[in-house]
Amino acid sequence: MLLEAKNVSKAFGSFRAVAGADLTVDNGDIIGLIGPNGAGKSTFFNCIAGDMPVTTGQIMFDGQDVTRASPEVHAVAGIGRTFQVPATFEDMTVLDNVMVGAFLRHPHRNDAREHARTILELTGLGRLAQQRARSLGTPGRKRIEIARVLATSPRLMLLDEALAGLTPTELLDAIALVRKIHESGVTIVIVEHIMEVIMTLTRRVLVFNQGHVIASGKPDDVVKNEAVIEAYLGRGHHARRR
Amino acid sequence: MKNIPTNWGVVVLGACLLVYPMIFSGAFYLDIGVTFLLAAISASAWNIVGGYAGQVSVGHSIFYGFGAYCPLLFYQLFGWPPMAGIPIGIALSIAVAILIGLPTFRLSGHYFSMATIAVAELIRIFTGTWDLVGAAIGLQGPAVARGWWDLTFRGELPYYYIFLVVLALLLFITWLMEQRRFGYYLRAIKTNERAARSLGVPVLQTKIKALALSAVFTSIAGSLYSIKTGFIDPESGFGILVSVQMVIIAALGGAGTLFGPLVGALILIPLQTATNTWFGGGGSGLTFILYGGIIVLIARFEPGGLFDLWDRIAPKRWRRGHAA
Amino acid sequence: MLLLQVVVGGLLLGAIYALFSSGLTLIWGMMNVINFAHGEFVMLGMYVALLVVVWLGGGPAAFGTAAAIALFVLGVVVYAGLIRHVMRGPMLAQILSTFGLALLLRYTAFWIFSANFVSLPDTSLSGTINLGGILLPVAQLVAGVVAIAFTIALHLLLTRTNIGSRLLAVSEDRSAAMLMGIRPDRMQALAWGLAGCAAGIAGALMATAYPWSPSVGETFGLIAFVVVAFGGFGSVPGALYAGLIIGLIQAVSAFWFGPIYKDIIVYSLFVALLWLRPQGLMGKA
């Protein structure tokens, strides 16, 4: 068991954004977190990433208690995350962005640069190495973020709507990239709205609604679940038969 | 990518600085040159924490003052050569840097800035009441040199070259810092602290190191000043003008760039000398008004300073290869 | 008895601190921007009062209103011309903008008015009053009481009126407020105007009771920051309590240790606050 979140709750004053959510992630899993807007999945995600302190609950990563650990400690332990709104270092080049990530495990500049270049090739950003991050559009920035966090050699990667806003072709590329990363041995948890991503990539799905996990299981089963359909009523997503 | 700036501009600049005193050998020009070098050193020191790390200190005179007072204090108390006080000023500065940084760097940036103002004023007022360090009157250095080690020269020429060496050393160290992990981490923190954290950047530690490094060189600048001038008092050591000047010079040229502070000093020091000469006694009041106005304009229109402005308006060929 | 007099005097001054600090806390709570020139706003309020008295011969109502309006306008102008543009930019720009403004205002005032301490010519509020054995200058008493009144008024404005709830809505959640049809830009400008207004009134009040020079702005700015940090960012009631407490501490320290410690104690309090209780008494940190 790589990551275990038990009974995690997060309250903002009297508003409970997340209420007693559990998540177990095994090595090599690729898990999706879905749910309508405001369902608490992003909050839960941020709790796991160490970006937000939990109100109650416990989070264990690889035997280490990371419940109250800072994001820095998370990264060192091997948990990496991307941000919903791309948080690239705008004024730095793509290569430099990735190098910041690479420096975590490669303190010396030349090693870090080597590693960063490898990651850039892997993620298809090789040609853009010297471009300023701000000159790329949102899809490019999301890719930089993925490359950057990949450079920290994470064991668990948390992707926060990393595939949103892409054209169909870009989406296929991105899905392929995530799959490639997964196949290289990285465990993945992905928050997503795009059902295609969930259905094709993930092996297990958790559905959030109003702070609770209302369903959990294989993608095919979950989308047929009555409670899930009800939660999404009016959102235009419907179960697809494969 | 970021190799030694083979820019012929830097070589030319270095050569110009080297031969400047030979061409402009009058006392007036030499004095401007020395003032320029000192301003460039302080501003470059500030630049490390204010420009690169993005933690805006507006009370950096704290470190300048410690560096300025210690040499003269230990000369007055024990007859030491002023030079011997330099490491003590540095040690004090590092200690205070950590004391300020530890609580405030965990909070939002404004806390740190406010803290630097408060501590600077606190020390300034306090120094003005403490007889041991000269109170409001201040301290003096050796009137006549007892030996070369007193660094009490009659002309300004030796100071010019000493300061030039220190500036070159500081810029070299800053350049080294830019290349290494520390430099990358600083820029990451400045740009997006939350993202930096998520990548394992030890934010608090890194900020404090930057502040300490900056404090060390600011302290050295202060020491150079008091050794050269042979005099220090609360205002010239810990006063607000000292802090403001460092900030405006670095910001004008381009905070976070290697040569920004140098460019800023090149413009501002002659300008300041001119306004002081034209407006005579009212000079320093008007200087502040001018500085205030310039700072507001920089903040509003070109926070990246002249280097950024150059990047925007210069033809592509002449632009710098990278930004800070 | 003398101590009691000092205590009351300190509380009265603290009330004025509370008034101008509540303007600062409003801005901070709403926009996470700090106005380094806030002390200068108060200082300008004092000089506006002086000018109205000297040029127009106006009384407290006249110069109070003039200061309120003048500083309201200044607040809005500063927001529209400067703050709005630097708010979302790099920290350097945010901090330098109001810091530079502070220098500009302070030294322009030095240039125009010189560094001499001035006070208002005798007004209807002169003389001292004997309250159960304590001697208080009437002006100080009136200034303090009026300051509390205005601070409470601001709090009521924020919590009980329509416009107040719109201001608070922007403070809580900008995007949600926009969805409700509130224009954050307008509300922010209004907040700056109100902050300026509070500073202006505080300045006018202070001018009636205490001498001043352009140098007071720097200390007031820091006092405002300490009060806001102590009372909690965004909390006007917090600013009230903290202001009173700071005024009290300042007066008692000056009484026991000497007048030069008036400023030292504020700076030291701030440093102590940073180390011991950065989250303040109440409100969000």
PDB file of all heavy atoms in Angstrom, chain C residues 150-169:
ATOM      1  N   PHE C 150     -16.704  57.196  15.422  1.00  0.00           N
ATOM      2  CA  PHE C 150     -16.515  56.957  13.997  1.00  0.00           C
ATOM      3  C   PHE C 150     -16.092  55.520  13.719  1.00  0.00           C
ATOM      4  O   PHE C 150     -16.466  54.929  12.709  1.00  0.00           O
ATOM      5  CB  PHE C 150     -15.469  57.928  13.423  1.00  0.00           C
ATOM      6  CG  PHE C 150     -16.067  59.208  12.931  1.00  0.00           C
ATOM      7  CD1 PHE C 150     -15.827  60.399  13.600  1.00  0.00           C
ATOM      8  CD2 PHE C 150     -16.876  59.226  11.797  1.00  0.00           C
ATOM      9  CE1 PHE C 150     -16.385  61.587  13.153  1.00  0.00           C
ATOM     10  CE2 PHE C 150     -17.442  60.411  11.360  1.00  0.00           C
ATOM     11  CZ  PHE C 150     -17.206  61.596  12.026  1.00  0.00           C
ATOM     12  N   THR C 151     -15.270  54.960  14.591  1.00  0.00           N
ATOM     13  CA  THR C 151     -14.846  53.576  14.391  1.00  0.00           C
ATOM     14  C   THR C 151     -16.053  52.642  14.461  1.00  0.00           C
ATOM     15  O   THR C 151     -16.215  51.751  13.629  1.00  0.00           O
ATOM     16  CB  THR C 151     -13.818  53.152  15.463  1.00  0.00           C
ATOM     17  OG1 THR C 151     -12.785  54.126  15.533  1.00  0.00           O
ATOM     18  CG2 THR C 151     -13.209  51.808  15.117  1.00  0.00           C
ATOM     19  N   ILE C 152     -16.890  52.884  15.457  1.00  0.00           N
ATOM     20  CA  ILE C 152     -18.091  52.064  15.561  1.00  0.00           C
ATOM     21  C   ILE C 152     -18.976  52.275  14.341  1.00  0.00           C
ATOM     22  O   ILE C 152     -19.566  51.335  13.810  1.00  0.00           O
ATOM     23  CB  ILE C 152     -18.863  52.400  16.857  1.00  0.00           C
ATOM     24  CG1 ILE C 152     -18.002  52.023  18.068  1.00  0.00           C
ATOM     25  CG2 ILE C 152     -20.195  51.690  16.891  1.00  0.00           C
ATOM     26  CD1 ILE C 152     -18.633  52.349  19.395  1.00  0.00           C
ATOM     27  N   ALA C 153     -19.039  53.519  13.891  1.00  0.00           N
ATOM     28  CA  ALA C 153     -19.846  53.815  12.709  1.00  0.00           C
ATOM     29  C   ALA C 153     -19.343  53.029  11.502  1.00  0.00           C
ATOM     30  O   ALA C 153     -20.126  52.482  10.729  1.00  0.00           O
ATOM     31  CB  ALA C 153     -19.803  55.315  12.417  1.00  0.00           C
ATOM     32  N   LEU C 154     -18.034  52.963  11.360  1.00  0.00           N
ATOM     33  CA  LEU C 154     -17.472  52.203  10.239  1.00  0.00           C
ATOM     34  C   LEU C 154     -17.855  50.736  10.362  1.00  0.00           C
ATOM     35  O   LEU C 154     -18.235  50.093   9.389  1.00  0.00           O
ATOM     36  CB  LEU C 154     -15.946  52.363  10.212  1.00  0.00           C
ATOM     37  CG  LEU C 154     -15.231  51.620   9.081  1.00  0.00           C
ATOM     38  CD1 LEU C 154     -15.661  52.134   7.725  1.00  0.00           C
ATOM     39  CD2 LEU C 154     -13.718  51.736   9.224  1.00  0.00           C
ATOM     40  N   HIS C 155     -17.746  50.228  11.558  1.00  0.00           N
ATOM     41  CA  HIS C 155     -18.088  48.827  11.775  1.00  0.00           C
ATOM     42  C   HIS C 155     -19.548  48.578  11.420  1.00  0.00           C
ATOM     43  O   HIS C 155     -19.880  47.592  10.762  1.00  0.00           O
ATOM     44  CB  HIS C 155     -17.818  48.462  13.230  1.00  0.00           C
ATOM     45  CG  HIS C 155     -18.210  47.058  13.559  1.00  0.00           C
ATOM     46  ND1 HIS C 155     -17.656  45.953  12.940  1.00  0.00           N
ATOM     47  CD2 HIS C 155     -19.110  46.559  14.439  1.00  0.00           C
ATOM     48  CE1 HIS C 155     -18.194  44.846  13.421  1.00  0.00           C
ATOM     49  NE2 HIS C 155     -19.082  45.187  14.332  1.00  0.00           N
ATOM     50  N   LEU C 156     -20.415  49.488  11.828  1.00  0.00           N
ATOM     51  CA  LEU C 156     -21.832  49.334  11.514  1.00  0.00           C
ATOM     52  C   LEU C 156     -22.070  49.450  10.014  1.00  0.00           C
ATOM     53  O   LEU C 156     -22.867  48.707   9.438  1.00  0.00           O
ATOM     54  CB  LEU C 156     -22.658  50.404  12.251  1.00  0.00           C
ATOM     55  CG  LEU C 156     -22.734  50.222  13.762  1.00  0.00           C
ATOM     56  CD1 LEU C 156     -23.479  51.379  14.402  1.00  0.00           C
ATOM     57  CD2 LEU C 156     -23.439  48.903  14.096  1.00  0.00           C
ATOM     58  N   LEU C 157     -21.343  50.363   9.399  1.00  0.00           N
ATOM     59  CA  LEU C 157     -21.466  50.508   7.957  1.00  0.00           C
ATOM     60  C   LEU C 157     -21.142  49.188   7.262  1.00  0.00           C
ATOM     61  O   LEU C 157     -21.828  48.759   6.341  1.00  0.00           O
ATOM     62  CB  LEU C 157     -20.507  51.603   7.455  1.00  0.00           C
ATOM     63  CG  LEU C 157     -20.492  51.822   5.943  1.00  0.00           C
ATOM     64  CD1 LEU C 157     -21.680  52.661   5.522  1.00  0.00           C
ATOM     65  CD2 LEU C 157     -19.205  52.480   5.504  1.00  0.00           C
ATOM     66  N   LEU C 158     -20.101  48.544   7.736  1.00  0.00           N
ATOM     67  CA  LEU C 158     -19.672  47.305   7.105  1.00  0.00           C
ATOM     68  C   LEU C 158     -20.620  46.149   7.375  1.00  0.00           C
ATOM     69  O   LEU C 158     -20.827  45.296   6.523  1.00  0.00           O
ATOM     70  CB  LEU C 158     -18.266  46.923   7.583  1.00  0.00           C
ATOM     71  CG  LEU C 158     -17.137  47.804   7.070  1.00  0.00           C
ATOM     72  CD1 LEU C 158     -15.829  47.377   7.715  1.00  0.00           C
ATOM     73  CD2 LEU C 158     -17.029  47.688   5.565  1.00  0.00           C
ATOM     74  N   THR C 159     -21.171  46.116   8.583  1.00  0.00           N
ATOM     75  CA  THR C 159     -21.950  44.935   8.938  1.00  0.00           C
ATOM     76  C   THR C 159     -23.448  45.102   8.796  1.00  0.00           C
ATOM     77  O   THR C 159     -24.163  44.126   8.671  1.00  0.00           O
ATOM     78  CB  THR C 159     -21.661  44.499  10.383  1.00  0.00           C
ATOM     79  OG1 THR C 159     -21.810  45.637  11.233  1.00  0.00           O
ATOM     80  CG2 THR C 159     -20.242  43.970  10.522  1.00  0.00           C
ATOM     81  N   ARG C 160     -23.945  46.350   8.823  1.00  0.00           N
ATOM     82  CA  ARG C 160     -25.400  46.500   8.820  1.00  0.00           C
ATOM     83  C   ARG C 160     -25.983  47.075   7.541  1.00  0.00           C
ATOM     84  O   ARG C 160     -27.185  47.122   7.375  1.00  0.00           O
ATOM     85  CB  ARG C 160     -25.845  47.418   9.979  1.00  0.00           C
ATOM     86  CG  ARG C 160     -25.457  46.928  11.338  1.00  0.00           C
ATOM     87  CD  ARG C 160     -26.321  45.757  11.807  1.00  0.00           C
ATOM     88  NE  ARG C 160     -25.805  45.206  13.043  1.00  0.00           N
ATOM     89  CZ  ARG C 160     -26.176  45.611  14.244  1.00  0.00           C
ATOM     90  NH1 ARG C 160     -27.070  46.566  14.368  1.00  0.00           N
ATOM     91  NH2 ARG C 160     -25.636  45.075  15.313  1.00  0.00           N
ATOM     92  N   THR C 161     -25.108  47.622   6.679  1.00  0.00           N
ATOM     93  CA  THR C 161     -25.701  48.240   5.496  1.00  0.00           C
ATOM     94  C   THR C 161     -25.486  47.370   4.276  1.00  0.00           C
ATOM     95  O   THR C 161     -24.654  46.468   4.247  1.00  0.00           O
ATOM     96  CB  THR C 161     -25.083  49.616   5.198  1.00  0.00           C
ATOM     97  OG1 THR C 161     -23.702  49.416   4.868  1.00  0.00           O
ATOM     98  CG2 THR C 161     -25.204  50.539   6.377  1.00  0.00           C
ATOM     99  N   ASN C 162     -26.247  47.705   3.257  1.00  0.00           N
ATOM    100  CA  ASN C 162     -26.172  47.026   1.976  1.00  0.00           C
ATOM    101  C   ASN C 162     -24.779  47.149   1.380  1.00  0.00           C
ATOM    102  O   ASN C 162     -24.161  46.172   0.968  1.00  0.00           O
ATOM    103  CB  ASN C 162     -27.182  47.696   1.043  1.00  0.00           C
ATOM    104  CG  ASN C 162     -27.646  46.741  -0.016  1.00  0.00           C
ATOM    105  OD1 ASN C 162     -26.890  45.861  -0.424  1.00  0.00           O
ATOM    106  ND2 ASN C 162     -28.884  46.894  -0.444  1.00  0.00           N
ATOM    107  N   ILE C 163     -24.313  48.386   1.359  1.00  0.00           N
ATOM    108  CA  ILE C 163     -23.005  48.624   0.739  1.00  0.00           C
ATOM    109  C   ILE C 163     -21.910  47.913   1.524  1.00  0.00           C
ATOM    110  O   ILE C 163     -20.947  47.393   0.961  1.00  0.00           O
ATOM    111  CB  ILE C 163     -22.735  50.148   0.618  1.00  0.00           C
ATOM    112  CG1 ILE C 163     -21.602  50.389  -0.373  1.00  0.00           C
ATOM    113  CG2 ILE C 163     -22.380  50.793   1.930  1.00  0.00           C
ATOM    114  CD1 ILE C 163     -22.060  51.103  -1.594  1.00  0.00           C
ATOM    115  N   GLY C 164     -22.094  47.874   2.833  1.00  0.00           N
ATOM    116  CA  GLY C 164     -21.131  47.194   3.674  1.00  0.00           C
ATOM    117  C   GLY C 164     -21.050  45.720   3.351  1.00  0.00           C
ATOM    118  O   GLY C 164     -19.963  45.144   3.244  1.00  0.00           O
ATOM    119  N   SER C 165     -22.194  45.098   3.174  1.00  0.00           N
ATOM    120  CA  SER C 165     -22.155  43.671   2.884  1.00  0.00           C
ATOM    121  C   SER C 165     -21.567  43.411   1.513  1.00  0.00           C
ATOM    122  O   SER C 165     -20.953  42.376   1.273  1.00  0.00           O
ATOM    123  CB  SER C 165     -23.535  43.034   3.017  1.00  0.00           C
ATOM    124  OG  SER C 165     -24.488  43.764   2.293  1.00  0.00           O
ATOM    125  N   ARG C 166     -21.724  44.373   0.618  1.00  0.00           N
ATOM    126  CA  ARG C 166     -21.102  44.193  -0.699  1.00  0.00           C
ATOM    127  C   ARG C 166     -19.583  44.265  -0.580  1.00  0.00           C
ATOM    128  O   ARG C 166     -18.860  43.508  -1.213  1.00  0.00           O
ATOM    129  CB  ARG C 166     -21.605  45.234  -1.680  1.00  0.00           C
ATOM    130  CG  ARG C 166     -22.951  44.840  -2.248  1.00  0.00           C
ATOM    131  CD  ARG C 166     -23.317  45.657  -3.441  1.00  0.00           C
ATOM    132  NE  ARG C 166     -24.222  46.737  -3.083  1.00  0.00           N
ATOM    133  CZ  ARG C 166     -24.471  47.772  -3.856  1.00  0.00           C
ATOM    134  NH1 ARG C 166     -23.867  47.882  -5.019  1.00  0.00           N
ATOM    135  NH2 ARG C 166     -25.308  48.697  -3.482  1.00  0.00           N
ATOM    136  N   LEU C 167     -19.127  45.205   0.261  1.00  0.00           N
ATOM    137  CA  LEU C 167     -17.686  45.302   0.494  1.00  0.00           C
ATOM    138  C   LEU C 167     -17.156  44.004   1.089  1.00  0.00           C
ATOM    139  O   LEU C 167     -16.138  43.471   0.659  1.00  0.00           O
ATOM    140  CB  LEU C 167     -17.379  46.454   1.458  1.00  0.00           C
ATOM    141  CG  LEU C 167     -17.360  47.850   0.861  1.00  0.00           C
ATOM    142  CD1 LEU C 167     -17.320  48.885   1.969  1.00  0.00           C
ATOM    143  CD2 LEU C 167     -16.153  48.016  -0.032  1.00  0.00           C
ATOM    144  N   LEU C 168     -17.875  43.486   2.067  1.00  0.00           N
ATOM    145  CA  LEU C 168     -17.435  42.270   2.731  1.00  0.00           C
ATOM    146  C   LEU C 168     -17.500  41.077   1.789  1.00  0.00           C
ATOM    147  O   LEU C 168     -16.677  40.173   1.869  1.00  0.00           O
ATOM    148  CB  LEU C 168     -18.265  42.013   3.983  1.00  0.00           C
ATOM    149  CG  LEU C 168     -18.009  43.003   5.124  1.00  0.00           C
ATOM    150  CD1 LEU C 168     -18.872  42.671   6.323  1.00  0.00           C
ATOM    151  CD2 LEU C 168     -16.539  42.976   5.520  1.00  0.00           C
ATOM    152  N   ALA C 169     -18.475  41.102   0.881  1.00  0.00           N
ATOM    153  CA  ALA C 169     -18.589  39.997  -0.062  1.00  0.00           C
ATOM    154  C   ALA C 169     -17.349  39.905  -0.936  1.00  0.00           C
ATOM    155  O   ALA C 169     -16.803  38.829  -1.154  1.00  0.00           O
ATOM    156  CB  ALA C 169     -19.832  40.178  -0.935  1.00  0.00           C
TER     157      ALA C 169
END
